[in-house]
C-alpha cells in the first residue's frame, strides 16, 4: 500500500509538539499525514492576514521524517470574522434559520461572497505550498455533502434555483407540467413563487431541489480543484466522501473530474458486508484505479466495544485486497476539547502511545513490508455490475417510497448475497458500457435512463444476464408515475407488464395507526425455490416469459412474482418484490450467477473474504473464531481475524 497515514492537527497541538509526533508517526510506519481541513482561522486569523509559518514548519518537520502530506482546503469551517461580517455566506436551513458559527459545513455553497473568500485562501495555500516537495496530494473541504446540514434555502439559492429551472424547462407552463402540479393545484403563475422544496413538498419539486443542490455543491468542490491544478498539475487532488453512495452528491460525476476516489470508511465490528460493498463501490468510481481510505477509526466510533487487536489488521488487509492504496487513520491523538472529544485517536489524549498505537503500528509495519511485494497485482476482476443511478437515489430520498421502500437496505441486502459468495461486483452508472460484465443487477430502478434501456437490450442480445428487482421503470424523469405500464422501455426485454403494485404493511388494523406500520410477508413458490416477499409486491402480468415463482396468498395469489425471459443467447430475470427473504435472494443470485457462468467461491464461512488478484488470493477472516478453509487447492487454518495471502487462484 502506497500510503499509511493519519489525520493530524498541528494547529491544535502547537508547533512544539510536531517533531515528537513526527518521530512517533514514522516509528508507526506512517508516511502520509492529512492536515488542515479545519484550520482556516489559524491560516487567516483576520481578513486578508495570512499566517502560514506554523504550517510551513509542520510540513517541513514531517518531511524531515520522511512523511508526505495531503493538505486540505479549509472551507468546511469558515473563520468567525468572515461569517459575522458576511452573513450571506451562512447556510439557511429548511426552517429558514441561518446557521451560526461554532460547528462545521454551515456555509452556503452558492454564495458569491463565500466563493470569493474560498478562492483567495485556496489560491494562497496552493501558491505557498507548491514549493514543498512532500506535499503530494490535496483534499478539498471535508466530506462535502448535504447530510450534516441539509440543503441551503437562502435567497441566493432560491434565485439560483429559479435560474437553473428556467434553463431546464424554459417556461413556467412546462415546469407545471413536468412537476405535475395539478394535484392540490400547486400551479405556479410567477417564477418568484418557485422555491426550493422542504420535506412536505411534492416529490418532483424535491427531486429537482436535490439535483440542483448536488450540482452546486459539486461545482464548489470542482472550482477548488481547478485552482489547485493551476498551481501544480502533478498534485493528486480529491475530496473525502462520506458514507455509501446513497447520499446527496453524484459521486460518478465528481470523481470523474478528480484524481483519486477517496472514502472515509469507519470499519466497525459486524459491518464487514457493508464495508466490502463500499470498497467495491469506491473502486468503481475510477475504473482501473486504486482508491484511498482517507479516514478510518483508530478505535471505536461512539465509544463502542474496542476492536480486537487483530481486527484493525484484518480491515487494513481487506482494504488492500479490494484495491486500496492509502489507509489514513482518524485521528492521530484524542483531542482534549471540542465536539469530538470522546473520539479515540491513535495516541491517548495524554500523548502516550497506548494500545491503539501499538495495534496500528504492528499492522502498518507489516503492511509496509509485505505490500511492497504485492503492489503490482492486477485489481480484482468483476463480472457482475450493479447499476446505480443518482436520479433514482435522489428519487427515493424525495418521495414517499423512500420511507416505504428502504432502497439502501434493499440494495445492501442484494449485494450481501454476492459478498457471501465472494463474487466481486462493480458499481456502474446507467450510461456505462456493460460489455465487460456477464451479469448486470438492477436494484429497484424506479426510473429507466434511455441509454441504460438501450445498453441492456444490447447486453442481453449479446448473451448477458440481467437480474432486476423491485419497482422497475414505473416513474418518469420527474419522479411521477407514468400513464403506461412498466417496466418503462423494458417491457419486451423482460416479457412482463407491471400494472402497479401494493405495499406490504398493515396500517388499518383496529389497534394500529398509520404511525405504526406492521410489515408483513407474502409467500411465493415455484419449482426453483420458495420464500417470502416483503415491503412491496408488483401487480405483474406475464407476457412473453416463463414464471419462476408465483404468489401463494393474499390479494395477488396465483399471480407471477418472479419471471425470466430467454432470448437467443441472454436472459432477463425480474423479481417483482422490493424485498425477498435472504434465502430466496441467495437462491436467485445462485441461479443468475449460474446462468451467467460466473463462479462463486463455495464452502467459505460467512465473513471470510476470498479476494483474487492475479496470481494471488487474499483470505481474510473477519470472525472472532479460527476458521478452516480450502482456497487455491490449499487447506488453510486462519486464527481469529487472521490473514493469508496464497499463491494461485
Ligand atoms: C468524519 C469526519 C471527521 C470526523 C469523523 C468522526 O465523518 O470527516 O472530521 O468527524 O467523521 O467519526
Amino acid at each position: 500500500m502506497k500510503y499509511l497515514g493519519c489525520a493530524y492537527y498541528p494547529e491544535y497541538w502547537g508547533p512544539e509538539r510536531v517533531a515528537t509526533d513526527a518521530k512517533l508517526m514514522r516509528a508507526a510506519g506512517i508516511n502520509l499525514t492529512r492536515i488542515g481541513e479545519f484550520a482556516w482561522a489559524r491560516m487567516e486569523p483576520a481578513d486578508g492576514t495570512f499566517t502560514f509559518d506554523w504550517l510551513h514548519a509542520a510540513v517541513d518537520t514531517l518531511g524531515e521524517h520522511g512523511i508526505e502530506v495531503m493538505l486540505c482546503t479549509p472551507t468546511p469551517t469558515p473563520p468567525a470574522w468572515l461569517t459575522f461580517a458576511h452573513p450571506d455566506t451562512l447556510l439557511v436551513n429548511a426552517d429558514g434559520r441561518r446557521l451560526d458559527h461554532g460547528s462545521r459545513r454551515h456555509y452556503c455553497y452558492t454564495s458569491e461572497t463565500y466563493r470569493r473568500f474560498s478562492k483567495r485562501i485556496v489560491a494562497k495555500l496552493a501558491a505557498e505550498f507548491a514549493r514543498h516537495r512532500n506535499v503530494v496530494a490535496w483534499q478539498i473541504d471535508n466530506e462535502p455533502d448535504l447530510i450534516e446540514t441539509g440543503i441551503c434555502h437562502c435567497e441566493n439559492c432560491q434565485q439560483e434555483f429559479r435560474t437553473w429551472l428556467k434553463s431546464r424547462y424554459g417556461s413556467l407552463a412546462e415546469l407545471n407540467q413536468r412537476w405535475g402540479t395539478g394535484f392540490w393545484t400547486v400551479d405556479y403563475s410567477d417564477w418568484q413563487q418557485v422555491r426550493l422544496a422542504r420535506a412536505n413538498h411534492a416529490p418532483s419539486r424535491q427531486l429537482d431541489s436535490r439535483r440542483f443542490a448536488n450540482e452546486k455543491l459539486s461545482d464548489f468542490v470542482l472550482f477548488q480543484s481547478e485552482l489547485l491544478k493551476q498551481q501544480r498539475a502533478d498534485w493528486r487532488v480529491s475530496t473525502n466522501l462520506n458514507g455509501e453512495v446513497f447520499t446527496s452528491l453524484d459521486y460518478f460525476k465528481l470523481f470523474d473530474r478528480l484524481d483519486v476516489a477517496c472514502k472515509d470508511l469507519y470499519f466497525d465490528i459486524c459491518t464487514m458486508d457493508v464495508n466490502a460493498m463500499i470498497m467495491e463501490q469506491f473502486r468503481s468510481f475510477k475504473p482501473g484505479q486504486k482508491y484511498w481510505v482517507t479516514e478510518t477509526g483508530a478505535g471505536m466510533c461512539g465509544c463502542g466495544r474496542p476492536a480486537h487487536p487483530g481486527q484493525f489488521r484484518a480491515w487494513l488487509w481487506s482494504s488492500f485486497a479490494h484495491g486500496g492504496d492509502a489507509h489514513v487513520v482518524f485521528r492521530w491523538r484524542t483531542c482534549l476539547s471540542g465536539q469530538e472529544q470522546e473520539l479515540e485517536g491513535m495516541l491517548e489524549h495524554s500523548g502516550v502511545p497506548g494500545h491503539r498505537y501499538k495495534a496500528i503500528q504492528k499492522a502498518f509495519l507489516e503492511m509496509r513490508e509485505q505490500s511492497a511485494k504485492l503492489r503490482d497485482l492486477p485489481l480484482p476482476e468483476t463480472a457482475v455490475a450493479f447499476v446505480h443511478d443518482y436520479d433514482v437515489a435522489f428519487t427515493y430520498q424525495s418521495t414517499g417510497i423512500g420511507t416505504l421502500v428502504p432502497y439502501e437496505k434493499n440494495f445492501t441486502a442484494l449485494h450481501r448475497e454476492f459478498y457471501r459468495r465472494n463474487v466481486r461486483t462493480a458499481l456502474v452508472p446507467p450510461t456505462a458500457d456493460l460489455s465487460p460484465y456477464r451479469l448486470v443487477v438492477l436494484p429497484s430502478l424506479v426510473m429507466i435512463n434511455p441509454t441504460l434501456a438501450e445498453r441492456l437490450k444490447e447486453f442481453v442480445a449479446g448473451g448477458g444476464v440481467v437480474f432486476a428487482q423491485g419497482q422497475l421503470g414505473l416513474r418518469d424523469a420527474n419522479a411521477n408515475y407514468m400513464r403506461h405500464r412498466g417496466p418503462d422501455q423494458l417491457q419486451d426485454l423482460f416479457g412482463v407488464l407491471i400494472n402497479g403494485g401494493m405495499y406490504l404493511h398493515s396500517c388499518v388494523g383496529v389497534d394500529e395507526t398509520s404511525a405504526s406500520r406492521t410489515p408483513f410477508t407474502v409467500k411465493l413458490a415455484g419449482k426453483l425455490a420458495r420464500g417470502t416477499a416483503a415491503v412491496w409486491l408488483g401487480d405483474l402480468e406475464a407476457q412473453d416469459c416463463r414464471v419462476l415463482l408465483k404468489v401463494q396468498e393474499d390479494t395477488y395469489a396465483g399471480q407471477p412474482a418472479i419471471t425470466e425471459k430467454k432470448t437467443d443467447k441472454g436472459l432477463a430475470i425480474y423479481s417483482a418484490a422490493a424485498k425477498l427473504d435472504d434465502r430466496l435472494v441467495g437462491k436467485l443470485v445462485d441461479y443468475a450467477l449460474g446462468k451467467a457462468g460466473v463462479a462463486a467461491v463455495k464452502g467459505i464461512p460467512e465473513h471470510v473474504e476470498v479476494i483474487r488478484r492475479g496470481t494471488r488470493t487474499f483470505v481474510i477472516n473477519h470472525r472472532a473464531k479460527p476458521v478452516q478453509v480450502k482456497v487455491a487447492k490449499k487447506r488453510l487454518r486462519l486464527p481469529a481475524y487472521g490473514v493469508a495471502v496464497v499463491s494461485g487462484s
Side-chain angles (χ1 to χ4, degrees):
M1 200 174 261
K2 188 170 170 69
Y3 289 120
L4 299 168
C6 67
Y8 185 43
Y9 298 91
E11 73 276 21
Y12 184 82
W13 295 108
E16 61 288 350
R17 175 76 196 189
V18 179
T20 310
D21 284 336
K23 216 167 147 194
L24 281 168
M25 286 177 196
R26 190 65 196 164
I30 285 175
N31 62 351
L32 183 83
T33 52
R34 196 198 65 177
I35 299 181
E37 76 275 24
F38 302 130
W40 194 340
R42 302 284 164 103
M43 296 170 175
E44 189 182 2
D47 188 353
T49 305
F50 298 95
T51 48
F52 292 121
D53 292 357
W54 63 273
L55 190 51
H56 282 300
V59 170
D60 282 339
T61 306
L62 290 161
E64 283 155 21
H65 288 81
I67 298 171
E68 301 196 328
V69 173
M70 179 181 214
L71 216 49
C72 305
T73 70
T75 48
T77 47
W81 59 256
L82 196 166
T83 54
F84 275 85
H86 304 279
D88 61 308
T89 59
L90 288 166
L91 184 141
V92 173
N93 71 13
D95 298 332
R97 188 174 70 81
R98 207 172 267 288
L99 302 189
D100 56 7
H101 188 74
S103 181
R104 63 180 180 182
R105 308 214 49 71
H106 48 291
Y107 64 83
C108 165
Y109 39 84
T110 71
S111 158
E112 278 307 318
T113 317
Y114 199 61
R115 201 168 268 227
R116 202 172 67 241
F117 281 100
S118 300
K119 184 174 177 185
R120 188 172 71 181
I121 187 72
V122 173
K124 267 264 174 210
L125 265 173
E128 285 275 335
F129 287 87
R131 68 175 165 80
H132 292 266
R133 300 322 292 178
N134 64 324
V135 172
V136 291
W138 285 83
Q139 173 184 301
I140 293 164
D141 205 280
N142 186 70
E143 294 188 342
D145 210 317
L146 301 158
I147 293 174
E148 228 164 330
T149 54
I151 285 173
C152 180
H153 290 253
C154 75
E155 285 312 309
N156 189 53
C157 283
Q158 304 289 2
Q159 191 48 44
E160 294 253 341
F161 183 47
R162 287 189 279 269
T163 308
W164 185 86
L165 290 168
K166 278 180 196 165
S167 72
R168 197 174 173 89
Y169 300 121
S171 69
L172 259 191
E174 183 67 14
L175 175 96
N176 284 329
Q177 162 71 23
R178 296 287 202 97
W179 280 10
T181 51
F183 192 66
W184 290 5
T185 59
V186 287
D187 305 335
Y188 299 94
S189 54
D190 187 310
W191 278 105
Q192 286 308 311
Q193 299 157 356
V194 183
R195 296 178 70 79
L196 287 149
R198 292 199 312 269
N200 55 347
H201 291 141
S204 45
R205 180 173 161 193
Q206 286 198 46
L207 174 58
D208 274 346
S209 301
R210 284 180 206 280
R211 284 175 169 143
F212 163 79
N214 157 50
E215 277 185 26
K216 294 295 166 182
L217 182 54
S218 301
D219 187 63
F220 181 71
V221 172
L222 294 171
F223 118 89
Q224 297 194 34
S225 164
E226 276 166 30
L227 288 173
L228 295 167
K229 285 290 195 181
Q230 277 163 19
Q231 189 65 50
R232 262 182 57 183
D234 64 327
W235 274 335
R236 297 184 90 174
V237 175
S238 191
T239 185
N240 59 332
L241 286 170
N242 182 2
E244 303 102 50
V245 296
F246 316 107
T247 64
S248 39
L249 293 189
D250 182 333
Y251 292 179
F252 286 121
K253 288 200 178 133
L254 202 53
F255 283 126
D256 189 44
R257 297 190 40 205
L258 296 171
D259 294 326
V260 54
C262 296
K263 163 82 198 107
D264 291 353
L265 178 50
Y266 284 79
F267 294 86
D268 203 343
I269 292 170
C270 308
T271 55
M272 203 49 226
D273 48 352
V274 178
N275 301 333
M277 177 182 80
I278 294 173
M279 290 188 281
E280 292 185 344
Q281 293 174 339
F282 272 72
R283 195 182 55 224
S284 307
F285 289 124
K286 298 213 65 86
Q289 287 190 34
K290 295 176 182 176
Y291 60 87
W292 289 12
V293 171
T294 30
E295 285 184 25
T296 194
M300 292 316 294
C301 305
C303 319
R305 183 181 137 197
H308 179 282
Q311 230 166 346
F312 183 90
R313 173 177 178 249
W315 292 329
L316 173 64
W317 275 94
S318 174
S319 179
F320 178 71
H322 279 284
D325 210 18
H327 209 72
V328 179
V329 170
F330 187 90
R331 53 196 171 178
W332 173 239
R333 178 171 168 184
T334 308
C335 277
L336 313 179
S337 59
Q339 279 91 329
E340 296 188 327
Q341 198 184 20
E342 308 308 330
L343 207 131
E344 296 163 352
M346 260 178 87
L347 294 191
E348 305 296 332
H349 59 78
S350 59
V352 169
H355 292 286
R356 289 185 299 279
Y357 176 90
K358 285 174 194 149
I360 295 170
Q361 178 185 44
K362 198 168 165 213
F364 273 4
L365 291 177
E366 178 200 41
M367 173 60 76
R368 178 136 313 293
E369 193 197 322
Q370 298 293 319
S371 65
K373 303 169 213 154
L374 304 167
R375 270 194 66 94
D376 297 330
L377 291 176
L379 289 170
E381 276 182 26
T382 44
V384 179
F386 272 63
V387 176
H388 181 62
D389 183 344
Y390 278 95
D391 275 330
V392 170
F394 296 163
T395 296
Y396 276 90
Q397 290 163 356
S398 304
T399 60
I401 53 161
T403 40
L404 298 169
V405 179
Y407 177 66
E408 298 92 304
K409 278 197 186 152
N410 293 345
F411 187 112
T412 308
L414 201 49
H415 185 276
R416 188 177 301 125
E417 296 307 320
F418 291 90
Y419 161 82
R420 283 183 169 146
R421 286 155 180 76
N422 279 289
V423 174
R424 307 275 76 90
T425 70
L427 190 82
V428 300
T431 48
D433 170 16
L434 301 176
S435 61
Y437 306 103
R438 297 212 290 279
L439 172 63
V440 167
V441 182
L442 311 181
S444 294
L445 298 186
V446 279
M447 53 178 71
I448 301 295
N449 179 304
T451 311
L452 175 64
E454 287 317 307
R455 296 258 153 116
L456 286 171
K457 287 172 198 164
E458 283 163 23
F459 176 68
V460 173
V465 176
V466 178
F467 174 41
Q469 181 219 23
Q471 298 199 355
L472 182 72
L474 300 181
R475 293 178 187 248
D476 66 17
N478 289 90
N480 302 310
Y481 280 122
M482 288 185 286
R483 285 175 195 272
H484 58 265
R485 299 191 272 182
D488 180 43
Q489 306 167 75
L490 302 176
Q491 292 96 337
D492 287 346
L493 185 74
F494 288 96
V496 297
L497 290 173
I498 311 169
N499 298 324
M502 66 172 177
Y503 289 96
L504 301 179
H505 56 247
S506 154
C507 50
V508 292
V510 277
D511 53 356
E512 292 177 69
T513 67
S514 56
S516 73
R517 294 194 167 90
T518 315
F520 66 87
T521 56
V522 169
K523 288 193 184 104
L524 310 178
K527 274 193 191 145
L528 181 68
R530 51 178 54 243
T532 56
V535 179
W536 179 87
L537 194 61
D539 180 357
L540 194 65
E541 272 182 46
Q543 297 278 297
D544 176 18
C545 64
R546 193 161 83 96
V547 177
L548 294 174
L549 271 80
K550 282 187 179 172
V551 182
Q552 299 298 301
E553 57 180 340
D554 224 299
T555 313
Y556 291 170
Q559 269 194 206
I562 301 177
T563 60
E564 67 174 2
K565 178 175 172 180
K566 276 197 181 110
T567 56
D568 275 357
K569 296 185 191 161
L571 184 67
I573 305 168
Y574 175 54
S575 160
K579 182 166 168 35
L580 302 171
D581 68 80
D582 284 0
R583 224 176 130 259
L584 180 52
V585 181
K587 288 244 174 202
L588 289 174
V589 167
D590 280 334
Y591 183 70
L593 286 171
K595 293 285 175 191
V598 179
V601 184
K602 300 243 168 72
I604 305 292
E606 180 147 30
H607 301 309
V608 175
E609 288 190 287
V610 178
I611 301 170
R612 290 177 176 146
R613 289 184 56 184
T615 55
R616 302 295 169 95
T617 301
F618 296 77
V619 190
I620 302 151
N621 179 17
H622 293 286
R623 300 167 70 107
K625 291 182 183 146
V627 289
Q628 299 212 25
V629 289
K630 195 171 168 212
V631 171
K633 301 194 184 95
K634 295 178 185 72
R635 279 195 188 286
L636 299 175
R637 190 177 183 284
L638 291 179
Y641 308 109
V643 176
V645 185
V646 295
S647 297
S649 59

